[in-house]
Amino acid sequence: MRKSDKKLDNQIRIALTALCEETLKNLAGFCWVTHTVNFQKFPQSLQITCVFEDTNALSNFTNSEHLHSVRSQIEQTLKQLNINTAAIKECVTFVTKQDAP
């Protein structure tokens, strides 16, 4: 990993951590957010995973107005880092702790 890749990865981590802390306050059953990326195929390879406590919490979330809000917040966070993703729906997934990476 190049030095510039490490720097960007750290910026992504910091931004997502701040988003995670805010989401924890406002969304029942939400646990954490993580990301993976292959910088040789960046930004297409960026994958953000939001993890929920269990299937009930995940189901409640996906059937609520919060789904669009969280995706939008993630998209805005990435834009602040000058990261443009073609389709936010493809780079953000929602899973339970059991299925978390």
Side-chain angles (χ1 to χ4, degrees):
M1 185 183 292
R2 299 175 300 185
K3 188 175 182 178
S4 60
D5 295 342
K6 286 182 183 181
K7 184 176 178 179
L8 180 56
D9 191 56
N10 194 45
Q11 289 173 334
I12 293 169
R13 183 187 55 75
I14 290 169
L16 290 177
T17 298
L19 177 73
C20 178
E21 290 173 4
E22 190 61 34
T23 305
L24 279 168
K25 295 177 193 174
N26 301 316
L27 194 57
F30 178 79
C31 296
W32 71 83
V33 64
T34 189
H35 76 285
T36 58
V37 63
N38 175 350
F39 282 102
Q40 293 177 345
K41 297 178 182 178
F42 183 78
Q44 298 83 5
S45 66
L46 179 61
Q47 187 64 45
I48 298 169
T49 305
C50 297
V51 181
F52 287 82
E53 186 67 38
D54 53 33
T55 55
N56 188 42
L58 179 58
S59 178
N60 289 340
F61 168 74
T62 57
N63 294 316
S64 75
E65 71 281 355
H66 296 293
L67 177 66
H68 177 71
S69 175
V70 169
R71 277 192 182 131
S72 182
Q73 290 172 344
I74 291 170
E75 187 173 31
Q76 291 303 313
T77 298
L78 295 176
K79 283 183 180 180
Q80 290 173 353
L81 297 173
N82 294 317
I83 300 170
N84 295 310
T85 57
I88 195 70
K89 286 183 179 182
E90 292 177 13
C91 89
V92 178
T93 57
F94 304 97
V95 300
T96 63
K97 278 184 178 180
Q98 180 180 344
D99 299 324

